[in-house]
Amino acid sequence: MQNFRQDIRFAFRQLRRSPGFSIIAVLTLTMAIGANIVVFGVLNALVLHPLPIPEAQRLYQAQHTKSEWINLSYPDYRDVRDRNHTFSEIADTRLMRFGLEVGNSAQPVWGYETSGNYFAMMRIKPLLGRFLDPPTMSR
């Protein structure tokens, strides 16, 4: 313990001798620790804690791709959904760019465009009100 105290005193004496280096070292450590906290927070929220979806282990994502872009039109999705005999439900999602009106201008934002049964398939319920349900055929 005595050696540790001596090392700490020596470190503080060296830091007082060169304040410019000390400030840069402290700022560098602060930025590095802050970046690690942000990265861990995102990793913790997205990867380590699963989404609160009932029976999430039963969900699968399938993509029909052509090169890098998803190439499944909505009529194709409906055809796949109607001929499905394997899965209990199939929903369609697509990452899209939308315009969000802020004040007098529109800002580009990213969001998902989904089929009408998406929230019912995920068993997600709104906090208030209800979601838009897919249209039903009346006879």
Side-chain angles (χ1 to χ4, degrees), residues 48-88:
L48 301 179
H49 289 256
L51 294 174
I53 297 172
E55 300 179 22
Q57 70 276 8
R58 297 185 64 196
L59 294 175
Y60 294 93
Q61 179 179 6
Q63 293 180 346
H64 172 69
T65 60
K66 183 177 182 180
S67 82
E68 294 181 14
W69 300 99
I70 296 173
N71 188 26
L72 186 63
S73 66
Y74 190 73
D76 288 340
Y77 153 73
R78 284 195 330 221
D79 188 43
V80 169
R81 181 195 63 197
D82 294 343
R83 295 172 186 242
N84 169 47
H85 298 291
T86 307
F87 300 106
S88 59

Side-chain angles (χ1 to χ4, degrees), residues 83-113:
R83 295 172 186 242
N84 169 47
H85 298 291
T86 307
F87 300 106
S88 59
E89 284 191 69
I90 294 177
D92 186 30
T93 64
R94 185 172 314 204
L95 183 63
M96 301 282 294
R97 203 164 175 181
F98 297 97
L100 177 67
E101 186 176 330
V102 179
N104 292 333
S105 65
Q107 300 293 322
V109 295
W110 289 95
Y112 279 97
E113 179 181 57

Side-chain angles (χ1 to χ4, degrees), residues 7 11-12 15 30 77 81 124 137 139:
D7 288 343
F12 279 119
L15 289 175
T30 303
Y77 153 73
R81 181 195 63 197
I124 297 173
M137 298 268 215
R139 294 178 189 228

